[in-house]
Amino acid sequence: MKTTLSTHLIQRIEHRVAQLVEHAQRRTGRKLTCPSIGFRRAGRNAGTAHLNRNHINFNPLYLHDNVDEYLSQVIPHEVAHIVVYQIFGRVKPHGLEWQSMMRDTFDCKPQVTHTMHSDAVTSRVFTYKCDCGQVELSVRRHNKVVRGQQQYRCKRCHATLSQTL
């Protein structure tokens, strides 16, 4: 499914990114370069920071249905990755530097994952089982299991997942 974003919404996103970079620049006293921005579907990722390219990609399907969440959480999350990389180089993705940038500079809770929903981001899932219940795997992960390239373990009980029939 393709979602077309309005020019106004794209400008709001670009403005928010620039605003956060300028704020980080003032707070850190470091010269920072504003990243380029793209809007391309990337599975269930709300956004992705490409550090070496100084580029952030936002998922238009989630963005269209969750504008406020993007402005308050997703954009600061991705900009924090870019800013931390420009200041510290390659560090742990959600490590202390990133957490500090989120909390102390952007005044945001340093959340690693999102809980947004969008009917447009529906992809087929496959149900697997473990010792403590059921887990859903994406098509990509399921295909890796079928091809014998990967095994997955439950995050809670650490049992190897097996497909339910």
Side-chain angles (χ1 to χ4, degrees):
M1 171 175 248
K2 187 173 174 125
T3 298
T4 304
L5 301 175
S6 71
T7 303
H8 175 72
L9 180 55
I10 291 171
Q11 289 172 342
R12 281 181 73 189
I13 300 307
E14 290 171 341
H15 176 75
R16 180 72 171 136
V17 169
Q19 180 184 48
L20 288 165
V21 170
E22 288 172 21
H23 181 70
Q25 193 165 268
R26 283 192 307 274
R27 293 288 302 267
T28 64
R30 301 282 302 263
K31 175 75 173 121
L32 302 170
T33 305
C34 200
S36 61
I37 301 168
F39 300 93
R40 197 176 128 262
R41 182 176 175 186
R44 294 185 181 188
N45 291 334
T48 309
H50 300 276
L51 305 176
N52 291 332
R53 293 181 16 215
N54 196 35
H55 178 80
I56 298 175
N57 181 59
F58 294 113
N59 189 327
L61 301 177
Y62 279 124
L63 174 55
H64 184 267
D65 294 343
N66 303 279
V67 174
D68 291 338
E69 179 84 10
Y70 263 79
L71 294 171
S72 66
Q73 191 65 31
V74 176
I75 297 171
H77 178 116
E78 299 307 333
V79 171
H81 283 302
I82 294 291
V83 170
V84 165
Y85 180 72
Q86 289 184 24
I87 294 172
F88 300 102
R90 191 161 297 279
V91 295
K92 197 171 179 184
H94 298 108
L96 295 176
E97 299 88 351
W98 178 85
Q99 291 175 35
S100 175
M101 184 65 58
M102 286 291 288
R103 192 176 36 255
D104 302 337
T105 304
F106 296 151
D107 197 27
C108 293
K109 186 176 178 184
Q111 295 176 310
V112 175
T113 59
H114 69 82
T115 57
M116 290 182 287
H117 177 75
S118 173
D119 291 334
V121 186
T122 54
S123 61
R124 187 162 178 215
V125 294
F126 294 84
T127 304
Y128 281 70
K129 63 182 177 184
C130 62
D131 293 341
C132 65
Q134 293 185 336
V135 177
E136 291 182 341
L137 291 184
S138 67
V139 172
R140 178 178 286 181
R141 289 186 177 199
H142 167 74
N143 287 338
K144 284 184 175 186
V145 171
V146 170
R147 289 192 300 262
Q149 296 174 323
Q150 185 73 49
Q151 287 186 333
Y152 294 97
R153 295 188 178 276
C154 174
K155 291 180 181 178
R156 292 179 301 247
C157 70
H158 304 291
T160 301
L161 301 178
S162 60
Q163 187 175 13
T164 59
L165 301 175

